[in-house]
Amino acid sequence: MPTNDRPATAARRGRGRPRIQRSESEVTTVQALDRGLTLLQMLAREGAANLSDLSLQAGMPAPTAHRLLSTLLRQQFVDYDETTQLWAIGVQAYSVGSSYLARTSLVEIARPVMRVLMEETGETANLAVEDNGYVVFISQIESNHPIRAYHRPGSRSHLHASGIGKAVLSMRSRDEVAKSLEKTGLPAFTPQTLSTPTTLFEDLERTRQRGWSFDNEEHFEGMRCVAAPIIDARGEPVAGVSVSGPSTRFPDEMISRIGPTVKKAASRISEALGAQLIHHP
C-alpha cells in the first residue's frame, strides 16, 4: 500500500494522454480564431446583423466582438455599412467559399469521366490541381491490377516531374512557367527527370502541340503517366487528368494510343466546366 497518493496519481495519469501545456498567447490566439469563425457563421446565417445582436447571439462582450469584426473587415471577410451599422459577409469569404465549391464541382464532374477512362485504359485515373507551385491530387479511380499507381488525396508532387503538372504548365506562357518554377526549382528525382530549363521547355512544347503530356519515370522509377490539361470557362488550366501505372504496362507503342484517350477525357471534363473547345476533324 503506498505511503502517499503521489505515485498512484502519477500511474493513473501515465495511462492517459499527457497534459498539453499551452502558453497564454497561444490559447488567446486559438480562442480568438474560434470566436471570429463563430461570427462569420452567424453572418452567413443572418445575412446582416448589428453589433449588439451578434455579441448577444455569440455570447461574447460587444467590445470583443467589435475587435474581431474589425480584424475580419481589414481582411475583407466581412463588410460594414456605416449608414445602417450592419455587418455582413465580405468578398473574401465569398472567394474562399467559391474556391471550395469549384473544387467540389470539379470532382463531381470528373469522377464519372475518370471511371470510363480507367475502364478504357485499364489503368488508374487521377485528378489533380495546382497549388502554389505543386500538383495536389484530389481524386483517384483505381484500376483492378494488383500492382497499380496510388496517390493519396492531398499528396503533392512537383510540377516539372508530374504528368498533370507538365500538362498544366504547357497551357501557360514561358514567363508564367518560369515564375511557377521559381518557387520550387527543378530537383531531379530520377535519372529521367527534366531538371534543366531546356529539356523541360522542349517537352512542354511537344505537350502543347499534341494536347497531352508524358511522364516517363520522371518522379518514380518504374512508373509512367499520361496526362492532359483541364480548362475552365475562362480558358484557364485549372486541373489535369491522367492515367498512371507500372512502365511494363505502358510500353512505348501504347503511349501514342493512350494519349488521345486521356485528352478526350480532359476535353469532356473541360466542356462540363463551361470551356468552349474547338474540335478538329
Side-chain angles (χ1 to χ4, degrees):
M1 184 172 181
T3 57
N4 58 60
D5 64 352
R6 289 185 180 178
T9 301
R12 288 197 301 272
R13 188 173 295 162
R15 289 194 296 268
R17 188 181 303 176
R19 183 176 295 169
I20 298 173
Q21 299 294 330
R22 289 195 178 96
S23 67
E24 183 178 345
S25 62
E26 183 182 3
V27 172
T28 302
T29 301
V30 173
Q31 187 180 59
L33 176 60
D34 183 70
R35 287 179 168 182
L37 292 174
T38 296
L39 291 172
L40 271 180
Q41 292 168 357
M42 291 171 56
L43 286 174
R45 291 194 302 267
E46 300 294 330
N50 60 41
L51 179 62
S52 297
D53 289 345
L54 286 171
S55 62
L56 285 173
Q57 290 182 46
M60 67 180 72
T64 300
H66 188 267
R67 286 196 300 272
L68 293 170
L69 289 167
S70 297
T71 300
L72 293 169
L73 179 64
R74 285 196 297 272
Q75 297 292 329
Q76 297 184 298
F77 276 89
V78 301
D79 282 331
Y80 178 65
D81 189 322
E82 294 185 359
T83 302
T84 63
Q85 296 188 338
L86 293 177
W87 297 85
I89 287 292
V91 67
Q92 189 62 30
Y94 173 78
S95 177
V96 171
S98 296
S99 176
Y100 171 77
L101 289 174
R103 180 167 295 188
T104 303
S105 176
L106 171 63
V107 172
E108 291 176 349
I109 290 170
R111 282 189 69 83
V113 180
M114 292 167 62
R115 184 166 298 282
V116 172
L117 179 60
M118 183 275 289
E119 293 170 349
E120 289 179 341
T121 62
E123 300 297 342
T124 296
N126 313 286
L127 180 70
V129 297
E130 182 192 356
D131 179 49
N132 199 30
Y134 292 87
V135 163
V136 180
F137 291 89
I138 59 175
S139 188
Q140 184 177 67
I141 302 292
E142 293 187 71
S143 74
N144 296 319
H145 292 292
I147 300 176
R148 55 187 182 268
Y150 175 71
H151 295 289
R152 179 177 53 82
S155 61
R156 291 172 174 260
S157 180
H158 283 68
L159 290 169
H160 74 288
S162 159
I164 290 179
K166 294 195 298 179
V168 171
L169 289 177
S170 73
M171 299 291 292
R172 295 181 174 161
S173 69
R174 189 182 184 95
D175 288 344
E176 290 173 326
V177 173
K179 189 173 182 180
S180 293
L181 297 178
E182 284 175 0
K183 302 174 184 177
T184 59
L186 294 170
F189 299 98
T190 75
Q192 297 290 96
T193 306
L194 305 179
S195 54
T196 67
T198 299
T199 56
L200 177 62
F201 281 111
E202 288 175 351
D203 185 86
L204 294 181
E205 181 57 33
R206 287 192 294 272
T207 297
R208 186 178 297 110
Q209 292 178 3
R210 66 194 175 199
W212 51 270
S213 66
F214 176 39
D215 169 4
N216 182 22
E217 304 186 16
E218 294 160 33
H219 196 274
F220 298 107
E221 291 191 70
M223 299 295 289
R224 283 180 158 183
C225 169
V226 179
I230 296 170
I231 63 175
D232 63 10
R234 299 172 297 175
E236 296 292 329
V238 294
V241 64
S242 72
V243 291
S244 55
S247 299
T248 53
R249 296 205 301 267
F250 280 72
D252 292 342
E253 61 271 17
M254 286 288 295
I255 299 301
S256 59
R257 294 202 292 270
I258 294 176
T261 303
V262 177
K263 179 182 177 181
K264 181 179 177 181
S267 296
R268 288 182 58 195
I269 299 170
S270 297
E271 289 177 335
L273 291 174
Q276 301 295 317
L277 301 180
I278 300 175
H279 296 278
H280 299 285

